[in-house]
Amino acid sequence: MQQKEQLYEGKAKKVFATENPDYVIVSYKDDATAFNGLKKGTISGKGVINNKMSNLMMSMLEKKGIPTHLVEQIDDRNTIVKKVSIVPLEVIIRNVAAGSFSKRYGVPEGTAFASPTIEFSYKNDDLGDPLINDYHALALNLATAQEIETIKKMAFSVNDAMKEFFRGLNIDLIDFKLEFGRFKGEIVLADEISPDTCRFWEAGSWDTTKHVSLDKDRFRRDLGGVEDAYEEIFKRISK
Ligand code: TMP
């Protein structure tokens, strides 16, 4: 499929038009940001890993009956996806307390939950993606009540499938962020699933005082070994 003009450049990806109005090409960059772009850097090889990993995850989820934007990988960094209209919500599922949850609610990182939690942020960089609830999303016309229900159900199904998948790789899926889009009247899973958007902890490596991160927290928190962590995750999922 022929790549046409650039439609958009985000922090980690570029999006290009194609000759098919229903499809776009996403191109994954090595650029990394954190804290709403305040911290900037490069993670060498990240674009290749995130592209291939996201496609592997989306294919696995499709097989479990979850509709996604994935059409076809073109090469190491580029993938054809459905041209969706993104629902401006960041949907975060958590299995174990970490990150902003631990900070906000004063719960030590590594505290396991009795059952998974879901939260929404309003996807708006100028506002710093503030936490919102379903009623805020409805009031702001970000999604319909039916879309929110569909998104919640899909997000928990993704969690079930991913938790099981990563358990088999000796990795605990701590939390992750999803984005959804509308395509021909249907809600589909969009954006990416990668170490940029998930917390992966080495299984058995953690309690509430320490853990081994195999994800973007190594960049966010200056832990070192960032590239190695991305490569390790990719090695395990490609086996
Ligand atoms: P948080 O604990 O900082 O709220 O992050 C929760 C999860 O969401 C974590 O797996 C990282 C992911 N995430 C993103 O994908 N993009 C973001 O902008 C943020 C803040 C978090």
Side-chain angles (χ1 to χ4, degrees):
M1 186 158 307
Q2 206 195 327
Q3 179 170 310
K4 298 182 106 179
E5 78 277 11
Q6 183 174 310
L7 299 175
Y8 173 78
E9 176 161 9
K11 289 184 282 231
K13 298 187 282 295
K14 292 178 184 176
V15 180
F16 296 90
T18 69
E19 72 259 25
N20 183 335
D22 286 338
Y23 291 166
V24 291
I25 293 171
V26 260
S27 185
Y28 286 74
K29 307 188 284 183
D30 286 350
D31 299 353
T33 63
F35 316 117
N36 200 17
L38 280 180
K39 180 179 175 127
K40 289 191 176 69
T42 303
I43 302 175
S44 176
K46 170 171 91 79
V48 173
I49 287 177
N50 285 10
N51 179 43
K52 293 193 204 166
M53 171 165 177
S54 195
N55 294 342
L56 280 170
M57 300 310 302
M58 299 251 179
S59 308
M60 186 268 283
L61 294 168
E62 286 272 359
K63 284 188 197 124
K64 305 241 172 205
I66 295 159
T68 78
H69 71 168
L70 178 63
V71 177
E72 192 187 356
Q73 183 169 305
I74 302 174
D75 58 29
D76 275 4
R77 283 184 190 270
N78 298 288
T79 294
I80 304 169
V81 300
K82 295 167 189 158
K83 186 177 185 185
V84 302
S85 136
I86 287 284
V87 177
L89 293 171
E90 301 210 336
V91 180
I92 294 156
I93 295 272
R94 300 178 191 269
N95 297 304
V96 174
S100 69
F101 185 98
S102 290
K103 209 167 168 192
R104 182 175 301 116
Y105 302 114
V107 182
E109 289 199 303
T111 307
F113 297 152
S115 55
T117 68
I118 190 165
E119 68 199 40
F120 298 115
S121 293
Y122 176 24
K123 197 171 146 61
N124 183 318
D125 281 342
D126 293 341
L127 300 175
D129 299 338
L131 185 70
I132 62 169
N133 68 28
D134 307 26
Y135 291 91
H136 297 144
L138 279 174
L140 293 170
N141 245 326
L142 306 183
T144 65
Q146 204 189 349
E147 284 174 336
I148 292 172
E149 278 319 298
T150 303
I151 285 171
K152 281 186 187 167
K153 278 207 190 97
M154 281 172 66
F156 282 117
S157 301
V158 170
N159 189 41
D160 290 340
M162 285 194 16
K163 258 198 311 196
E164 192 191 324
F165 177 80
F166 283 102
R167 203 178 293 124
L169 306 178
N170 231 16
I171 291 162
D172 289 322
L173 177 64
I174 303 303
D175 57 35
F176 56 95
K177 184 265 300 179
L178 301 175
E179 294 183 27
F180 293 86
R182 304 178 183 98
F183 184 74
K184 298 186 189 282
E186 186 191 30
I187 291 285
V188 302
L189 182 61
D191 195 50
E192 69 179 272
I193 299 178
S194 72
D196 276 24
T197 63
C198 305
R199 284 196 172 93
F200 299 120
W201 291 2
E202 190 77 74
S205 77
W206 56 277
D207 53 30
T208 54
T209 58
K210 64 171 171 44
H211 59 263
V212 176
S213 294
L214 293 172
D215 55 54
K216 194 177 167 190
D217 271 349
R218 301 204 72 86
F219 169 80
R220 295 188 188 100
R221 300 178 185 195
D222 295 319
L223 299 174
V226 185
E227 279 88 358
D228 289 349
Y230 278 70
E231 275 163 27
E232 179 61 29
I233 281 285
F234 187 61
K235 198 173 84 189
R236 287 196 214 178
I237 64 165
S238 333
K239 272 198 180 141

